[in-house]
Amino acid sequence: MAILTVENLYKNYGPIEALKGVSFSVPKGSVFGILGPNGSGKTTLLGIILDVLRATSGSYKLFDQAPTHVQRQQIGTLLETPNFYHYLNAVQNLTIAAAIKQRGKADIDKVLQLVNLEQRRFSKFSTYSLGMKQRLAIASSLLGDPDVLVFDEPTNGLDPVGIVEIRELIKKLSKEGKTIIMASHLLDEVEKVCTHVAVLQKGTLLTHGHVDEILVTEDIVETGATDLQQLHTILEQYPGVKGVHMKGQHVDVAFSAGTAHLEALNRFCFDKGITLNHLRLRKKSLETKFFELTQNNN
């Protein structure tokens, strides 16, 4: 079952197109990352799904049904850090949050344990680190035991320790069967915690699918020879090659991750009458992949 299905969503703010025909679906049990630079339309998309904003055109379904208040009650949200009372402790703040939601009061002890704040349950909110404040915000989103969690930039502004804490918490919630939809501009965050990803750039959906397919790294082999043009022509015939490109004094050969074998490549060139004077394996980073995805659509 698809938890969320988005079909051809458009959102205009006057002449500005914030979303341009976005379509994708979120599988049940996935950690689905909506990835893109700031201003790409991520928050607008979440706002429409959560009925904070109205789409200009297009539609979406929640749990394979037309969205209603009943469906949205099964979604816990963290769109920004809630306005907790600084002079109250965690239990008091969550009690107020449960009263506002009209559900979840019986869950307070459980959610504090889930986010690893049970030892600080009676500490004032003002004494919390940024990471602890964000974990309390996630605890609030868990009140009422929702099936789906929607987080907008959950590690924004956190130090490295806080980022790791939230990352581990998201993994933990996923193992408990929650479906998590999270927007982020941080490639590293999405790559480490998400199972699926949709990449947005200036309101346009560039690609979507399983993280291992969309954000796959590549093996790049740098090669060199006296006659680069001849080398380029020969390498295009090599089995399994994904791409061959001239790069200065070298010819770069791209392979799927883990499939480049230097000895076999060297032997292939030698058998074709070319002696390599340069041969080096390097990995294409995820940062490079993401940069290419977004920059090629400017």
Side-chain angles (χ1 to χ4, degrees):
M1 179 181 74
I3 294 296
L4 167 69
T5 305
V6 175
E7 296 177 353
N8 207 27
L9 275 189
Y10 283 83
K11 177 61 179 175
N12 300 338
Y13 295 100
I16 299 170
E17 289 185 304
L19 294 175
K20 305 171 187 176
V22 173
S23 301
F24 62 82
S25 62
V26 176
K28 184 176 182 180
S30 64
V31 181
F32 194 99
I34 301 172
L35 176 65
N38 292 328
S40 59
K42 304 185 300 292
T43 300
T44 297
L45 179 60
L46 293 185
I48 291 170
I49 294 164
L50 297 170
D51 204 31
V52 177
L53 297 171
R54 195 63 58 86
T56 303
S57 63
S59 63
Y60 65 98
K61 292 180 181 178
L62 293 172
F63 309 99
D64 282 338
Q65 301 175 44
T68 66
H69 178 66
V70 175
Q71 274 84 41
R72 290 194 187 91
Q73 278 195 325
Q74 299 175 58
I75 300 175
T77 63
L78 173 58
L79 295 188
E80 56 184 39
T81 303
N83 293 320
F84 289 124
Y85 292 98
H86 284 242
Y87 54 88
L88 298 180
N89 63 41
V91 173
Q92 292 168 322
N93 271 302
L94 290 182
T95 300
I96 292 170
I100 292 169
K101 296 181 183 189
Q102 297 185 321
R103 67 184 189 279
K105 189 174 181 181
D107 300 331
I108 290 174
D109 288 345
K110 179 186 174 185
V111 299
L112 283 173
Q113 190 169 2
L114 262 175
V115 302
N116 200 25
L117 283 175
E118 67 271 23
Q119 300 297 322
R120 297 292 300 274
R121 56 192 288 121
F122 296 123
S123 300
K124 289 182 179 180
F125 182 74
S126 59
T127 67
Y128 281 10
S129 67
L130 282 175
M132 292 168 68
K133 289 175 179 177
Q134 196 72 331
R135 290 193 340 254
L136 185 63
I138 291 175
S140 180
S141 75
L142 290 166
L143 292 172
D145 196 23
D147 297 320
V148 180
L149 300 167
V150 176
F151 300 150
D152 189 9
E153 302 280 2
T155 62
N156 212 18
L158 299 184
D159 61 17
V161 173
I163 289 172
V164 171
E165 288 174 349
I166 299 302
R167 195 179 279 159
E168 292 307 310
L169 177 54
I170 289 171
K171 290 179 183 177
K172 184 178 177 182
L173 293 170
S174 174
K175 285 179 182 175
E176 295 210 348
K178 306 288 186 189
T179 301
I180 300 167
I181 303 170
M182 56 176 274
S184 178
H185 67 280
L186 301 173
L187 175 66
D188 185 57
E189 179 179 297
V190 169
E191 190 262 333
K192 282 189 167 65
V193 303
C194 293
T195 59
H196 296 72
V197 64
V199 181
L200 284 177
Q201 166 75 343
K202 295 183 179 178
T204 299
L205 180 68
L206 302 185
T207 185
H208 64 98
H210 200 281
V211 164
D212 290 343
E213 298 168 2
I214 302 301
L215 299 179
V216 65
T217 50
E218 291 177 339
D219 290 346
I220 305 294
V221 178
E222 290 180 358
T223 64
T226 304
D227 189 336
L228 289 178
Q229 191 57 56
Q230 185 188 11
L231 175 61
H232 185 282
T233 302
I234 292 297
L235 288 172
E236 285 184 318
Q237 303 168 23
Y238 190 76
V241 68
K242 291 180 67 180
V244 181
H245 306 283
M246 287 281 199
K247 286 288 178 71
Q249 297 303 306
H250 299 135
V251 178
D252 280 3
V253 193
F255 297 88
S256 297
T259 65
H261 301 288
L262 300 189
E263 186 178 339
L265 185 64
N266 191 24
R267 188 183 308 116
F268 176 84
C269 292
F270 187 79
D271 290 345
K272 297 287 187 180
I274 290 185
T275 302
L276 296 179
N277 57 29
H278 179 81
L279 185 62
R280 184 173 79 92
L281 173 65
R282 60 184 170 85
K283 300 284 186 180
K284 176 186 275 192
S285 68
L286 289 171
E287 285 79 7
T288 303
K289 175 76 171 179
F290 182 48
F291 181 80
E292 288 176 357
L293 274 173
T294 54
Q295 295 305 310
N296 287 345
N297 285 268
N298 275 345

